[in-house]
Amino acid sequence: MGSSSAALLRRLKPLYQVVVNNILAIVAVPLAGAVLLKAAELGPEELQARGRALRPAHMFLAAFVPAAAAAVYLMLRPRAVYLVDYACFRTNPNCRVPFATFLEHSRVWPGFDERSVRFMTRLLERSGLGEETCLPYAQHYIPPSRDLESSRAEAELVVFSAIDDLLAKTGVSPQDIDILVVNCSLFAPTPSFADMIVNRYKLRAEARHVHLAGMGCSAGLISVELARNLLQVAPRGARALVVSTETITPNYYMGQERAMLLPNCLFRMGGAAALLSTDGAGARFRLARVVRTLRGAADSAYRCVYQEEDERGNVGINLSKDLMSIAGDALKANITAMGPLVLPASEQLLFALSFLARKVVNRRIRPYIPDFRTAFEHFCIHAGGRAVIDELQRSLTLSDEQVEASRMTLHRFGNTSSSSLWYELAYIEAKGRMRRGDRVWMIGFGSGFKCNSAAWECIRPAANADGPWANCIHRYPVHIPDPLDDTAQRQRSGAPTFPES
Amino acid sequence: MVVEAVVVESGSPAALGVGAGSMAVHGHRLSTVVPSSVTGESVDYELTDADLLHKLHYVRAVHVFRAPAAAAAPGERALSVRELKEPMFPWLDMFFPVSGRLRRRQQQQDAAADDEAAGRPFVRCNDCGVRIVEAACDATVEQWMEAEAERGGMCKPLAYDKVIGPELFFSPLLYVQITSFKCGGMALGFTWAHVIGDIPSAAACFATWAQLASGNKAPPPTLRDPLSLLPPPPPAAPPARATAPPAPSSVVKATSAPVGDHWAVPTAHDMVPFSFHVTEQQLNALQQRPGAAGVGPFELVSALVWRALAAIRASEDGDEATRTVTVVRTTQPAVGGRRLGLTNEHRIGHAVASGSPPAAADVAALAALLAGARVEDAGAVAARAGDAAAGDVVVYGASLTFVDAGGVVEAHPLELAGRRPAHVEYAVDGVGDGGAAVVHAAARGRGRTVAGSLRQGEPGRLRAALRDALRAA
């Protein structure tokens, strides 16, 4: 195609989008105009004569059938679910772990050999994490303690702070909560987290509560979907509390397998609580869609993120080498399912035409990648690691500003697993970028392999920057140096440069 | 007299007999505390020549607190380890070089230009933190105090015994040990690398932490612009050589072999801890002696130790070895100075007992010698040592060393939860074969505490000799 024709197409595209997205209006207006003209032409007496000629039964049906259809449609339509508000756990500087401290602990404890320490050094440098990420109190010890009591202490600290914050923001009392869904993948004591919250906040005896364990880093959106489903059958105006967290204390890997050391370097303390309701009064967001995609039927996807024991009996999470390709595959499946639900008609038509063209005309025509920026203003991509964010930015063709929330959350909080999406949303609001009517796309990945996404629409943006970013948002965005520039990296971070052996 | 009375009143010699075993400190758990805010990238704290002169030595400070009384007010109950750690985060914001780690300057490409600076140590302020050690002791504070009065040297296990090295990158500059006693009492032991500051600097640093723990607010963390850390002061102008007497060369001594990155003094003897307490009455009695008027308590006590030690060492080293002693006088660091009050500004000098050997000399005469010793700034000593300072040098212990830490306990009190410690000891570790003793005012009362390191076998004999000498007063 010549460049002049490409330029012409680019200029025509906005016109095309306006036409196709408003096709109903564009078709209906002239049609209505034609009908009115015809009616005017016929004259009022002629219209009345025609009207009396109709049989009453037909008139009745003509009025009743559409009304009945509309009523049935309205009743069977799922209730709209709103996000009243959300709150994230605010980290405390006394849990802070700078790079140097993390590396020194791994070095001083004799359980890690030099190769492992060198590997973790390189991982940390390229991870995209900053110097303010936090680990729980028990992991500031050499060696870190992984006992039950410390794990419970971490869980209680994170969950109770987030819920206290949320209840203060919304003014809701714990007795008004009807549904409670908690997800924490790698720590599931008895009694469960949900019971812990019931006990602490004295929830009502009739409240429905569930704890989801083992569902991986995408469990936050699974919890949201479960809460949404439960709200459909709960009384009108019911409130559901969704708590997403991950407890790191019991999961520190103490062995030497490189594939299992990565979570030690990336996972950090964090948690979030969100209040959903079918009552939209005072709500801030509306949940438009939740799409869940499972790839676990394929063995490679199933074993991609696998918790197991290494040769010496240390338990850790093994990340396979083809994690990125499986993630990309899962993402494609998810957006294929999500696309028709959220994309405007113009993009769907183009995608359909390109699909047909590839099938019918010529296989080598490049597939049209729908532009999701027409469907969403903001993107919250799970901050699983620098590589994950890079990969998604590439495949969704997003700009740096659109993935900024993910990168900055990774820098400031590390990978907080299922709650990272909420920290990213908090970043966008703290920066003041959220407007009424903006649509947000949350994408989470997790073991299984799962890719889950949710689409939100903003009703009322946050009034102020209060939240986990309150005292550091003015420092963001920061520039995260390129990991390929290795030597410069090491000198800047002051990390020891190991002699090349 | 005083010491024996305590032994009798304890009522159970058996307790003391079992004391040696049950005084053991065990169950060490290590953790780390870091500054609460980010220091920044590549912030370096330059070490002056005076600092590097002392790199092989360590300050050991131990504060022992009794358990709070059963009917104590809420503000006076014992603090848990977490409550002690909480204020350390903003504290380290103020003293961020202490939480850094040592590095050496890279070798310059053009060796001719900067030969001396090649491999010069400095502190990279990377927020790595200080090490906290939690330990337990199966004795009560009272039993411990009795053992300390009886044998001395009991403070050493209460501070973590670790030197810098073998890897500079991963060696903390400060260890804080929190030892819990069976009765609920607590001991705080600080092991402070002398390279970062001298005894008053360390004491001021610890006192600041105690104030934060007692509820004072820390100043907000300043934006630490590397440029605001001024470069080390230019080398001091050489003293006017015409008037100064010829410099004695044995104030500092090079080590027998380079120590590399393992900053411990190689010694021919095993060095063991030593401590002794001189009560106020004994001090007064000393000052009544003829010729002792106008001499301070530091000089009197040091003179006693000098004479006694000279007698003990006469058989092994001969009379000449203990003729020369090193005298160190500490000064208060400038508050709010640009170097955060972390300096090595004390003064070092000599005293020489010419004439009769010190073992036979009069205490008052030795004290007068000590009082009259000419001391000069550590910076000047470093400048004079010149190239030797860039190498590995021993200050404390090159010859028998006495450190006047004067009123360091009064000037920088460590008050926690409204209570003062029952026992305080400041000492130096990592000293050379000559041994070193720090003399400072005691925690309670107006006596003097002498503490430091001596050769194996000397503490017991020295304590006996001192008791005899003080009884005769």
Side-chain angles (χ1 to χ4, degrees):
Chain A
M1 285 194 159
S3 60
S4 57
S5 49
L8 184 66
L9 280 172
R10 266 201 297 279
R11 261 179 298 190
L12 284 180
K13 188 156 188 192
L15 179 62
Y16 158 78
Q17 281 177 333
V18 167
V19 166
V20 174
N21 289 340
N22 302 302
I23 194 74
L24 279 178
I26 288 174
V27 164
V29 165
L31 198 60
V35 166
L36 280 175
L37 276 176
K38 183 82 167 147
E41 200 183 288
L42 286 176
E45 300 83 16
E46 183 61 34
L47 282 175
Q48 276 179 347
R50 289 203 190 188
R52 262 180 253 120
L54 284 175
R55 303 233 314 258
H58 288 161
M59 276 177 64
F60 173 72
L61 279 175
F64 175 75
V65 169
V72 166
Y73 168 71
L74 284 172
M75 273 171 34
L76 291 183
R77 190 181 58 165
R79 297 178 188 165
V81 170
Y82 300 92
L83 173 70
V84 177
D85 214 332
Y86 67 98
C88 300
F89 168 67
R90 295 176 205 227
T91 56
N92 197 324
N94 65 9
C95 288
R96 180 182 155 227
V97 177
F99 279 14
T101 316
F102 186 90
L103 291 173
E104 185 172 280
H105 279 218
S106 2
R107 183 72 171 151
V108 167
W109 183 61
F112 288 125
D113 62 356
E114 178 152 342
R115 272 185 74 238
S116 304
V117 177
R118 235 195 295 238
F119 181 67
M120 286 203 275
T121 311
R122 277 207 305 277
L123 273 180
L124 266 186
E125 286 167 6
R126 293 179 196 158
S127 60
L129 263 66
E131 299 263 357
E132 287 182 275
T133 61
C134 292
L135 281 176
Y137 182 69
Q139 290 201 349
H140 292 255
Y141 279 85
I142 307 171
S145 53
R146 298 181 296 175
D147 57 303
L148 189 57
E149 193 182 325
S150 310
S151 309
R152 273 223 173 91
E154 180 198 341
E156 288 179 0
L157 171 69
V158 172
V159 167
F160 293 164
S161 327
I163 297 180
D164 285 341
D165 231 344
L166 179 64
L167 294 180
K169 261 192 200 181
T170 55
V172 166
S173 118
Q175 271 63 49
D176 295 334
I177 293 174
D178 307 286
I179 297 165
L180 171 64
V181 182
V182 186
N183 72 269
C184 175
S185 186
L186 290 169
F187 178 55
T190 295
S192 67
F193 276 42
D195 295 311
M196 186 172 87
I197 295 174
V198 166
N199 173 261
R200 161 74 175 233
Y201 290 92
K202 316 284 183 248
L203 298 191
R204 295 192 338 254
E206 302 83 33
R208 303 270 188 267
H209 69 312
V210 178
H211 176 86
L212 292 175
M215 298 301 272
C217 295
S218 59
L221 295 178
I222 298 178
S223 303
V224 165
E225 194 208 40
L226 180 59
R228 181 193 70 175
N229 293 348
L230 289 173
L231 281 170
Q232 303 301 319
V233 295
R236 283 217 169 263
R239 293 189 181 83
L241 178 60
V242 174
V243 179
S244 298
T245 185
E246 190 56 69
T247 304
I248 315 180
T249 305
N251 298 312
Y252 193 78
Y253 174 63
M254 311 271 269
Q256 292 172 7
E257 282 294 312
R258 287 160 72 149
M260 296 169 147
L261 286 171
L262 185 56
N264 282 1
C265 299
L266 291 183
F267 278 85
R268 297 288 183 264
M269 249 174 118
L275 190 66
L276 299 173
S277 177
T278 39
D279 180 7
R284 299 228 287 112
F285 287 84
R286 187 180 66 83
L287 178 60
R289 301 271 177 208
V290 178
V291 173
R292 291 171 58 179
T293 315
L294 314 171
R295 308 302 276 170
D299 278 348
S300 58
Y302 172 64
R303 294 199 71 99
C304 171
V305 178
Y306 205 76
Q307 185 182 36
E308 61 188 7
E309 287 177 7
D310 67 8
E311 292 159 353
R312 298 170 208 210
N314 297 303
V315 176
I317 299 170
N318 198 333
L319 301 174
S320 84
K321 290 196 177 16
D322 39 356
L323 176 60
M324 290 321 319
S325 67
I326 291 174
D329 191 41
L331 176 71
K332 250 197 272 310
N334 190 282
I335 66 183
T336 308
M338 183 69 140
L341 301 175
V342 295
L343 285 171
S346 53
E347 294 292 317
Q348 298 204 34
L349 185 60
L350 280 176
F351 179 74
L353 287 176
S354 127
F355 184 77
L356 275 176
R358 274 166 60 85
K359 285 274 171 171
V360 170
V361 176
N362 181 359
R363 290 219 60 155
R364 276 185 291 136
I365 294 177
R366 266 181 314 142
Y368 177 72
I369 300 175
D371 187 2
F372 278 89
R373 289 174 286 185
T374 55
F376 298 104
E377 278 72 37
H378 304 289
F379 297 80
C380 295
I381 300 166
H382 172 55
R386 191 193 197 119
V388 169
I389 302 177
D390 287 344
E391 173 67 25
L392 259 76
Q393 182 179 15
R394 199 186 53 77
S395 48
L396 292 174
T397 59
L398 296 176
S399 70
D400 282 341
E401 198 186 327
Q402 283 161 329
V403 292
E404 186 183 299
S406 309
R407 285 204 204 284
M408 296 305 121
T409 299
L410 183 64
H411 184 268
R412 172 64 181 82
F413 294 100
N415 179 349
T416 57
S417 186
S418 43
S419 50
S420 65
L421 299 170
W422 297 106
Y423 283 99
E424 294 173 24
L425 188 60
Y427 177 85
I428 298 170
E429 298 208 283
K431 274 286 185 197
R433 291 179 190 162
M434 189 67 74
R435 306 249 178 290
R436 184 193 164 89
D438 278 359
R439 293 155 299 175
V440 182
W441 190 10
M442 285 188 171
I443 312 175
F445 293 93
S447 60
F449 197 81
K450 311 177 188 68
C451 179
N452 300 326
S453 51
W456 302 89
E457 186 182 322
C458 178
I459 302 174
R460 181 169 59 87
N464 53 30
D466 191 28
W469 295 92
N471 47 13
C472 59
I473 192 68
H474 56 277
R475 281 189 266 122
Y476 282 88
V478 294
H479 170 63
I480 302 173
D482 194 320
L484 294 174
D485 192 9
D486 241 22
T487 333
Q489 255 285 16
R490 290 218 185 103
Q491 286 171 355
R492 265 199 294 275
S493 69
T497 43
F498 285 96
E500 305 305 299
S501 55
Chain B
M1 288 294 174
V2 173
V3 175
E4 278 151 12
V6 170
V7 171
V8 167
E9 280 163 15
S10 74
S12 47
L16 287 175
V18 96
S22 74
M23 294 291 158
V25 175
H26 59 88
H28 296 81
R29 290 268 290 142
L30 277 68
S31 58
T32 304
V33 165
V34 300
S36 64
S37 50
V38 182
T39 297
E41 287 196 8
S42 308
V43 176
D44 293 339
Y45 177 82
E46 291 298 336
L47 296 170
T48 62
D49 288 338
D51 291 332
L52 289 174
L53 202 64
H54 298 83
K55 67 179 192 251
L56 300 178
H57 305 305
Y58 302 87
V59 175
R60 180 177 76 234
V62 176
H63 304 256
V64 181
F65 293 82
R66 287 211 171 84
E76 286 196 357
R77 52 172 184 72
L79 293 175
S80 67
V81 171
R82 273 189 95 149
E83 286 168 321
L84 291 172
K85 281 191 189 176
E86 258 320 299
M88 287 190 189
F89 295 89
W91 172 59
L92 288 178
D93 272 340
M94 297 163 64
F95 292 98
F96 57 93
V98 178
S99 46
R101 292 291 180 269
L102 290 159
R103 300 263 190 274
R104 286 189 186 270
R105 288 260 169 254
Q106 299 295 336
Q107 291 279 354
Q108 304 292 332
Q109 289 302 93
D110 44 338
D114 238 346
D115 229 335
E116 190 182 315
R120 185 191 171 93
F122 66 102
V123 177
R124 166 60 59 83
C125 304
N126 59 6
D127 293 346
C128 206
V130 304
R131 196 76 77 228
I132 312 295
V133 184
E134 292 164 52
C137 179
D138 290 332
T140 66
V141 174
E142 293 310 322
Q143 288 169 339
W144 184 88
M145 303 270 280
E146 282 164 16
E148 165 70 16
E150 158 82 4
R151 295 199 292 276
M154 298 293 297
C155 279
K156 175 108 175 191
L158 295 178
Y160 202 61
D161 186 18
K162 193 87 165 47
V163 300
I164 291 178
E167 282 176 316
L168 288 185
F169 288 147
F170 300 117
S171 300
L173 297 170
L174 172 62
Y175 287 85
V176 181
Q177 177 165 327
I178 303 170
T179 313
S180 314
F181 289 90
K182 196 167 71 171
C183 57
M186 171 185 76
L188 279 173
F190 298 90
T191 308
W192 168 282
H194 209 300
V195 71
I196 264 285
D198 55 10
I199 294 176
S201 305
C205 189
F206 307 148
T208 313
W209 166 67
Q211 284 161 13
L212 289 178
S214 301
N216 290 15
K217 294 229 50 100
T222 52
L223 209 54
R224 281 178 285 250
D225 180 3
L227 297 175
S228 71
L229 277 182
L230 298 176
R241 298 253 177 233
T243 48
S249 59
S250 59
V251 175
V252 300
K253 202 189 297 179
T255 53
S256 46
V259 298
D261 280 349
H262 187 75
W263 289 6
V265 177
T267 52
H269 304 86
D270 279 335
M271 304 306 286
V272 294
F274 154 79
S275 66
F276 189 78
H277 183 78
V278 178
T279 66
E280 195 178 344
Q281 297 99 307
Q282 288 165 334
L283 255 186
N284 288 341
L286 274 178
Q287 280 176 318
Q288 303 303 331
R289 286 192 188 179
V295 195
F298 162 67
E299 286 81 6
L300 285 170
V301 172
S302 307
L304 268 180
V305 177
W306 188 0
R307 192 176 67 162
L309 213 46
I312 294 171
R313 287 184 186 174
S315 50
E316 189 186 330
D317 293 346
D319 276 341
E320 301 307 312
T322 39
R323 274 196 189 276
T324 314
V325 295
T326 310
V327 176
V328 177
R329 290 195 186 277
T330 57
T331 57
Q332 293 305 311
V335 174
R338 66 199 148 120
R339 283 171 65 83
L340 309 164
L342 297 171
T343 52
N344 276 297
E345 277 177 346
H346 46 282
R347 299 204 288 276
I348 313 173
H350 263 355
V352 185
S354 41
S356 57
D362 179 34
V363 171
L366 288 177
L369 269 178
L370 289 170
R374 185 173 293 120
V375 288
E376 55 183 349
D377 269 343
V381 173
R384 183 162 340 108
D387 281 341
D392 306 321
V393 150
V394 179
V395 177
Y396 298 106
S399 42
L400 178 60
T401 307
F402 294 103
V403 183
D404 178 11
V408 70
V409 176
E410 269 312 301
H412 305 289
L414 213 78
E415 200 175 291
L416 282 179
R419 290 181 297 123
R420 295 250 174 145
H423 181 89
V424 178
E425 182 186 294
Y426 278 83
V428 280
D429 262 334
V431 304
D433 281 304
V438 178
V439 181
H440 64 85
R444 305 268 169 112
R446 312 246 295 268
R448 287 290 185 274
T449 303
V450 186
S453 302
L454 292 176
R455 300 179 194 171
Q456 178 93 40
E458 283 180 353
R461 295 158 72 183
L462 180 58
R463 286 177 64 94
L466 286 173
R467 272 188 226 134
D468 290 336
L470 286 170
R471 206 175 319 150

PDB file of all heavy atoms in Angstrom, chain B residues 53-68:
ATOM      1  N   LEU B  53      42.741   5.960  61.004  1.00  0.00           N
ATOM      2  CA  LEU B  53      43.782   5.591  61.960  1.00  0.00           C
ATOM      3  C   LEU B  53      43.255   4.554  62.949  1.00  0.00           C
ATOM      4  O   LEU B  53      44.000   3.723  63.447  1.00  0.00           O
ATOM      5  CB  LEU B  53      44.203   6.854  62.714  1.00  0.00           C
ATOM      6  CG  LEU B  53      45.558   6.863  63.368  1.00  0.00           C
ATOM      7  CD1 LEU B  53      46.648   6.748  62.337  1.00  0.00           C
ATOM      8  CD2 LEU B  53      45.721   8.163  64.160  1.00  0.00           C
ATOM      9  N   HIS B  54      41.955   4.621  63.216  1.00  0.00           N
ATOM     10  CA  HIS B  54      41.376   3.774  64.257  1.00  0.00           C
ATOM     11  C   HIS B  54      40.586   2.609  63.709  1.00  0.00           C
ATOM     12  O   HIS B  54      39.763   2.048  64.406  1.00  0.00           O
ATOM     13  CB  HIS B  54      40.441   4.615  65.130  1.00  0.00           C
ATOM     14  CG  HIS B  54      41.136   5.716  65.846  1.00  0.00           C
ATOM     15  ND1 HIS B  54      41.412   6.929  65.260  1.00  0.00           N
ATOM     16  CD2 HIS B  54      41.643   5.763  67.092  1.00  0.00           C
ATOM     17  CE1 HIS B  54      42.048   7.683  66.110  1.00  0.00           C
ATOM     18  NE2 HIS B  54      42.215   7.009  67.231  1.00  0.00           N
ATOM     19  N   LYS B  55      40.844   2.233  62.463  1.00  0.00           N
ATOM     20  CA  LYS B  55      39.926   1.277  61.853  1.00  0.00           C
ATOM     21  C   LYS B  55      39.986  -0.100  62.485  1.00  0.00           C
ATOM     22  O   LYS B  55      39.073  -0.891  62.321  1.00  0.00           O
ATOM     23  CB  LYS B  55      40.179   1.185  60.361  1.00  0.00           C
ATOM     24  CG  LYS B  55      41.503   0.574  59.978  1.00  0.00           C
ATOM     25  CD  LYS B  55      41.583   0.537  58.437  1.00  0.00           C
ATOM     26  CE  LYS B  55      42.712  -0.310  57.966  1.00  0.00           C
ATOM     27  NZ  LYS B  55      43.804   0.451  57.375  1.00  0.00           N
ATOM     28  N   LEU B  56      41.045  -0.406  63.208  1.00  0.00           N
ATOM     29  CA  LEU B  56      41.128  -1.745  63.769  1.00  0.00           C
ATOM     30  C   LEU B  56      40.506  -1.842  65.157  1.00  0.00           C
ATOM     31  O   LEU B  56      40.525  -2.904  65.758  1.00  0.00           O
ATOM     32  CB  LEU B  56      42.595  -2.194  63.832  1.00  0.00           C
ATOM     33  CG  LEU B  56      43.290  -2.240  62.470  1.00  0.00           C
ATOM     34  CD1 LEU B  56      44.736  -2.639  62.647  1.00  0.00           C
ATOM     35  CD2 LEU B  56      42.592  -3.214  61.541  1.00  0.00           C
ATOM     36  N   HIS B  57      39.987  -0.724  65.666  1.00  0.00           N
ATOM     37  CA  HIS B  57      39.485  -0.732  67.044  1.00  0.00           C
ATOM     38  C   HIS B  57      37.971  -0.607  67.093  1.00  0.00           C
ATOM     39  O   HIS B  57      37.339  -0.176  66.145  1.00  0.00           O
ATOM     40  CB  HIS B  57      40.110   0.427  67.826  1.00  0.00           C
ATOM     41  CG  HIS B  57      41.601   0.397  67.787  1.00  0.00           C
ATOM     42  ND1 HIS B  57      42.337  -0.682  68.175  1.00  0.00           N
ATOM     43  CD2 HIS B  57      42.492   1.320  67.375  1.00  0.00           C
ATOM     44  CE1 HIS B  57      43.625  -0.425  68.013  1.00  0.00           C
ATOM     45  NE2 HIS B  57      43.735   0.789  67.535  1.00  0.00           N
ATOM     46  N   TYR B  58      37.399  -1.006  68.226  1.00  0.00           N
ATOM     47  CA  TYR B  58      35.944  -1.009  68.390  1.00  0.00           C
ATOM     48  C   TYR B  58      35.613  -0.461  69.762  1.00  0.00           C
ATOM     49  O   TYR B  58      36.313  -0.724  70.737  1.00  0.00           O
ATOM     50  CB  TYR B  58      35.391  -2.442  68.262  1.00  0.00           C
ATOM     51  CG  TYR B  58      35.748  -3.053  66.926  1.00  0.00           C
ATOM     52  CD1 TYR B  58      36.959  -3.712  66.748  1.00  0.00           C
ATOM     53  CD2 TYR B  58      34.916  -2.906  65.827  1.00  0.00           C
ATOM     54  CE1 TYR B  58      37.321  -4.217  65.517  1.00  0.00           C
ATOM     55  CE2 TYR B  58      35.268  -3.409  64.596  1.00  0.00           C
ATOM     56  CZ  TYR B  58      36.471  -4.060  64.442  1.00  0.00           C
ATOM     57  OH  TYR B  58      36.818  -4.543  63.220  1.00  0.00           O
ATOM     58  N   VAL B  59      34.537   0.272  69.850  1.00  0.00           N
ATOM     59  CA  VAL B  59      34.062   0.777  71.133  1.00  0.00           C
ATOM     60  C   VAL B  59      32.979  -0.169  71.611  1.00  0.00           C
ATOM     61  O   VAL B  59      32.073  -0.519  70.863  1.00  0.00           O
ATOM     62  CB  VAL B  59      33.474   2.200  70.982  1.00  0.00           C
ATOM     63  CG1 VAL B  59      32.866   2.656  72.291  1.00  0.00           C
ATOM     64  CG2 VAL B  59      34.540   3.158  70.519  1.00  0.00           C
ATOM     65  N   ARG B  60      33.099  -0.595  72.860  1.00  0.00           N
ATOM     66  CA  ARG B  60      32.066  -1.481  73.407  1.00  0.00           C
ATOM     67  C   ARG B  60      31.387  -0.726  74.539  1.00  0.00           C
ATOM     68  O   ARG B  60      32.048  -0.297  75.482  1.00  0.00           O
ATOM     69  CB  ARG B  60      32.700  -2.767  73.939  1.00  0.00           C
ATOM     70  CG  ARG B  60      31.673  -3.730  74.533  1.00  0.00           C
ATOM     71  CD  ARG B  60      32.317  -5.039  74.997  1.00  0.00           C
ATOM     72  NE  ARG B  60      33.040  -4.887  76.245  1.00  0.00           N
ATOM     73  CZ  ARG B  60      34.317  -5.240  76.422  1.00  0.00           C
ATOM     74  NH1 ARG B  60      35.015  -5.745  75.435  1.00  0.00           N
ATOM     75  NH2 ARG B  60      34.889  -5.074  77.587  1.00  0.00           N
ATOM     76  N   ALA B  61      30.081  -0.564  74.429  1.00  0.00           N
ATOM     77  CA  ALA B  61      29.331   0.143  75.469  1.00  0.00           C
ATOM     78  C   ALA B  61      28.235  -0.773  75.948  1.00  0.00           C
ATOM     79  O   ALA B  61      27.476  -1.299  75.141  1.00  0.00           O
ATOM     80  CB  ALA B  61      28.738   1.430  74.906  1.00  0.00           C
ATOM     81  N   VAL B  62      28.156  -0.988  77.253  1.00  0.00           N
ATOM     82  CA  VAL B  62      27.135  -1.889  77.805  1.00  0.00           C
ATOM     83  C   VAL B  62      26.367  -1.145  78.880  1.00  0.00           C
ATOM     84  O   VAL B  62      26.958  -0.538  79.770  1.00  0.00           O
ATOM     85  CB  VAL B  62      27.774  -3.166  78.387  1.00  0.00           C
ATOM     86  CG1 VAL B  62      26.722  -4.027  79.044  1.00  0.00           C
ATOM     87  CG2 VAL B  62      28.482  -3.951  77.295  1.00  0.00           C
ATOM     88  N   HIS B  63      25.051  -1.179  78.771  1.00  0.00           N
ATOM     89  CA  HIS B  63      24.177  -0.575  79.789  1.00  0.00           C
ATOM     90  C   HIS B  63      23.272  -1.667  80.317  1.00  0.00           C
ATOM     91  O   HIS B  63      22.578  -2.317  79.549  1.00  0.00           O
ATOM     92  CB  HIS B  63      23.313   0.527  79.170  1.00  0.00           C
ATOM     93  CG  HIS B  63      24.104   1.605  78.489  1.00  0.00           C
ATOM     94  ND1 HIS B  63      24.299   2.843  79.037  1.00  0.00           N
ATOM     95  CD2 HIS B  63      24.754   1.611  77.305  1.00  0.00           C
ATOM     96  CE1 HIS B  63      25.034   3.571  78.223  1.00  0.00           C
ATOM     97  NE2 HIS B  63      25.328   2.855  77.164  1.00  0.00           N
ATOM     98  N   VAL B  64      23.282  -1.868  81.639  1.00  0.00           N
ATOM     99  CA  VAL B  64      22.462  -2.926  82.229  1.00  0.00           C
ATOM    100  C   VAL B  64      21.340  -2.283  83.021  1.00  0.00           C
ATOM    101  O   VAL B  64      21.578  -1.433  83.882  1.00  0.00           O
ATOM    102  CB  VAL B  64      23.311  -3.822  83.165  1.00  0.00           C
ATOM    103  CG1 VAL B  64      22.454  -4.932  83.741  1.00  0.00           C
ATOM    104  CG2 VAL B  64      24.484  -4.412  82.397  1.00  0.00           C
ATOM    105  N   PHE B  65      20.120  -2.702  82.717  1.00  0.00           N
ATOM    106  CA  PHE B  65      18.941  -2.147  83.389  1.00  0.00           C
ATOM    107  C   PHE B  65      18.330  -3.203  84.277  1.00  0.00           C
ATOM    108  O   PHE B  65      18.137  -4.350  83.867  1.00  0.00           O
ATOM    109  CB  PHE B  65      17.886  -1.725  82.363  1.00  0.00           C
ATOM    110  CG  PHE B  65      18.300  -0.557  81.510  1.00  0.00           C
ATOM    111  CD1 PHE B  65      19.116  -0.742  80.399  1.00  0.00           C
ATOM    112  CD2 PHE B  65      17.875   0.728  81.814  1.00  0.00           C
ATOM    113  CE1 PHE B  65      19.503   0.322  79.622  1.00  0.00           C
ATOM    114  CE2 PHE B  65      18.257   1.797  81.023  1.00  0.00           C
ATOM    115  CZ  PHE B  65      19.066   1.594  79.932  1.00  0.00           C
ATOM    116  N   ARG B  66      17.952  -2.813  85.471  1.00  0.00           N
ATOM    117  CA  ARG B  66      17.237  -3.739  86.342  1.00  0.00           C
ATOM    118  C   ARG B  66      15.805  -3.889  85.839  1.00  0.00           C
ATOM    119  O   ARG B  66      15.283  -3.038  85.145  1.00  0.00           O
ATOM    120  CB  ARG B  66      17.197  -3.189  87.774  1.00  0.00           C
ATOM    121  CG  ARG B  66      18.512  -3.268  88.464  1.00  0.00           C
ATOM    122  CD  ARG B  66      18.293  -3.466  89.968  1.00  0.00           C
ATOM    123  NE  ARG B  66      19.563  -3.742  90.604  1.00  0.00           N
ATOM    124  CZ  ARG B  66      20.429  -2.799  90.997  1.00  0.00           C
ATOM    125  NH1 ARG B  66      20.129  -1.538  90.841  1.00  0.00           N
ATOM    126  NH2 ARG B  66      21.579  -3.129  91.554  1.00  0.00           N
ATOM    127  N   ALA B  67      15.169  -4.968  86.254  1.00  0.00           N
ATOM    128  CA  ALA B  67      13.768  -5.149  85.889  1.00  0.00           C
ATOM    129  C   ALA B  67      12.939  -4.084  86.587  1.00  0.00           C
ATOM    130  O   ALA B  67      13.247  -3.693  87.698  1.00  0.00           O
ATOM    131  CB  ALA B  67      13.311  -6.545  86.315  1.00  0.00           C
ATOM    132  N   PRO B  68      11.865  -3.613  85.959  1.00  0.00           N
ATOM    133  CA  PRO B  68      11.044  -2.606  86.631  1.00  0.00           C
ATOM    134  C   PRO B  68      10.369  -3.221  87.846  1.00  0.00           C
ATOM    135  O   PRO B  68      10.068  -4.414  87.865  1.00  0.00           O
ATOM    136  CB  PRO B  68      10.012  -2.206  85.579  1.00  0.00           C
ATOM    137  CG  PRO B  68      10.020  -3.311  84.594  1.00  0.00           C
ATOM    138  CD  PRO B  68      11.366  -3.944  84.628  1.00  0.00           C
TER     139      PRO B  68
END
